[in-house]
Amino acid sequence: MASLAARATRATVLGKKSFPPFSVVSRALSTKATSYTLNTGAKIPALGFGTFQDPDSQENTVSLALQKGMRLIDTARVYNVEEQVGRGIKKSGIPREDIFVGTKLWCNDYHPNDVERAVDDSLRDLDTPYVDLLLMHYPCTFKRGPDRFPRDADGRMVAGETTFLDTWKAMEKVIETGKVKAIGVSNFSRGEISTLINESSTIPAVHQMEVHPYLQQKGFNEWLQKNGIHVVQFSPLGNMNDFYRQTGWSKEISHMMRVIDQPILKEIGEKYGKSPVQVVLAWGINSGRSVIPKSVVDWQIEQNLEADFELQPEDMAQIATLDAKARFNDPSLDYEWRLYSDLEGIDGAMKGKTH
């Protein structure tokens, strides 16, 4: 993977300036509103809104996204934005029952005795009586308590005393209360999901994981689909987010050419009158997955909403050639847990603190 990065063009670091939307139109397209049916019977939209980072902007951008037509909002306890997201939902004026809201438990709240209390904390801040989806953020457990990143005197993460299976069984019980409509996981390996399938009574409704043209994980995606587990793609635009170049465990490959700068995507975009961003999002939706791009820029939100369109098979085949097995999200060495152990792209993990 180092040689791949060495051959790749270094990404240009963009500032705060916004660029105008892509405007070339070469053919008529109809924008769809695709949704998928989870193994619970509930519907989840194919196109959603991610809320990682930018806490000061979330209230207005969540409201705007909903008013423009987004109906899937993804957040997490560790993002520190649940209050702002909740205010944005209220501000939008869209009825709560028309919105699919998902959040995630963080690793210091994985003790079975803490799970329902943690859910209550999220419901309080989101100002909602329930969430449509609750995910375990990672399979690793941290020491229980108020510190989200508990470290010892040497700065190493302190592990919890229970397992992700214990957490999962506690999440199953929360479903019975009505506070959570469905449960799932994020950043799990195939083996870890198999443990949940084999040793509990609930198959995850969703696996949220890193998927983009540089990390397509075809075999794993097929296995998840076969087991009735819907995939939600985080970082659907790959290394577009500067976080992957700035975090303490940043991999060398995160500096390779940004996904959206790939000439193939630009060429496909010209064919449809779409931007490379829209093409990448459409690729995920055409693959049967949900995508949750983030943006705090008005015109980008509008563009994202126009990314649900049909790509021709030959264009899907071209995008398939971009698979570099390049995984950008890998805090394994910081979290003291070999994440993604049986999946692609685990080489090159770096030591460094997330926070």
Side-chain angles (χ1 to χ4, degrees), residues 90 241 263 309-310:
K90 285 292 195 299
N241 193 328
F309 64 95
E310 185 177 355

Side-chain angles (χ1 to χ4, degrees), residues 50-319:
T51 61
F52 176 54
Q53 301 175 310
D54 306 305
D56 294 338
S57 302
Q58 291 303 336
E59 179 178 341
N60 289 333
T61 53
V62 166
S63 176
L64 176 65
L66 289 169
Q67 290 172 4
K68 293 290 184 180
M70 291 279 188
R71 290 297 179 266
L72 166 60
I73 303 295
D74 175 81
T75 192
R77 191 63 181 166
V78 78
Y79 296 169
N80 291 318
V81 297
E82 286 179 323
E83 288 187 43
Q84 295 91 327
V85 169
R87 290 197 297 268
I89 291 172
K90 285 292 195 299
K91 186 175 182 178
S92 74
I94 304 299
R96 172 65 185 88
E97 60 270 21
D98 293 344
I99 307 169
F100 191 103
V101 180
T103 193
K104 308 176 193 72
L105 285 173
W106 186 241
C107 309
N108 66 319
D109 279 330
Y110 280 8
H111 192 285
N113 292 341
D114 295 334
V115 170
E116 186 170 1
R117 187 268 309 152
V119 170
D120 289 339
D121 290 345
S122 288
L123 296 181
R124 179 197 65 225
D125 289 352
L126 287 166
D127 194 14
T128 181
Y130 68 94
V131 289
D132 298 274
L133 179 65
L134 178 70
L135 304 178
M136 257 191 287
H137 210 136
Y138 283 95
C140 44
T141 66
F142 296 165
K143 178 183 177 182
R144 65 188 301 207
D147 191 349
R148 289 179 179 162
F149 295 88
R151 299 182 185 275
D152 63 19
D154 296 321
R156 297 181 61 175
M157 204 71 72
V158 180
E161 297 178 351
T162 55
T163 69
F164 64 79
L165 181 59
D166 298 325
T167 309
W168 185 252
K169 291 180 177 179
M171 291 167 66
E172 289 180 308
K173 293 178 181 178
V174 179
I175 292 178
E176 299 171 5
T177 69
K179 298 174 182 178
V180 170
K181 302 299 184 182
I183 57 176
V185 295
S186 180
N187 295 296
F188 272 51
S189 70
R190 176 170 171 169
E192 289 159 349
I193 293 176
S194 294
T195 296
L196 299 182
I197 293 174
N198 295 331
E199 300 186 34
S200 79
S201 57
T202 307
I203 296 175
V206 164
H207 184 213
Q208 187 175 126
M209 65 182 194
E210 181 182 351
V211 184
H212 44 73
Y214 281 168
L215 183 67
Q216 299 186 18
Q217 303 194 82
K218 298 172 187 176
F220 189 34
N221 270 295
E222 290 172 0
W223 182 83
L224 289 164
Q225 185 177 38
K226 180 181 178 181
N227 282 279
I229 301 171
H230 181 63
V231 172
V232 175
Q233 296 181 205
F234 74 73
S235 296
L237 304 176
N239 58 341
M240 184 175 178
N241 193 328
D242 281 342
F243 171 79
Y244 291 124
R245 288 177 283 279
Q246 297 169 353
T247 185
W249 40 260
S250 176
K251 288 184 173 183
E252 182 183 351
I253 56 170
S254 66
H255 297 274
M256 66 192 292
M257 178 188 287
R258 297 187 311 169
V259 171
I260 63 169
D261 291 332
Q262 280 288 342
I264 286 176
L265 299 175
K266 294 180 180 180
E267 292 171 9
I268 294 173
E270 289 173 1
K271 175 180 175 180
Y272 293 90
K274 296 289 186 177
S275 72
V277 168
Q278 291 170 317
V279 170
V280 171
L281 297 178
W283 168 78
I285 295 171
N286 278 250
S287 299
R289 301 183 289 265
S290 295
V291 294
I292 47 171
K294 63 175 290 291
S295 178
V296 294
V297 182
D298 294 6
W299 64 259
Q300 289 178 345
I301 294 172
E302 293 180 0
Q303 272 204 342
N304 291 346
L305 277 163
E306 296 173 359
D308 188 356
F309 64 95
E310 185 177 355
L311 285 168
Q312 295 301 306
E314 62 268 23
D315 299 314
M316 293 291 287
Q318 274 198 296
I319 295 172

Side-chain angles (χ1 to χ4, degrees), residues 326-340:
R327 184 182 296 278
F328 304 123
N329 187 78
D330 192 354
S332 295
L333 296 182
D334 186 27
Y335 292 0
E336 303 277 342
W337 186 281
R338 178 59 270 183
L339 298 164
Y340 325 116

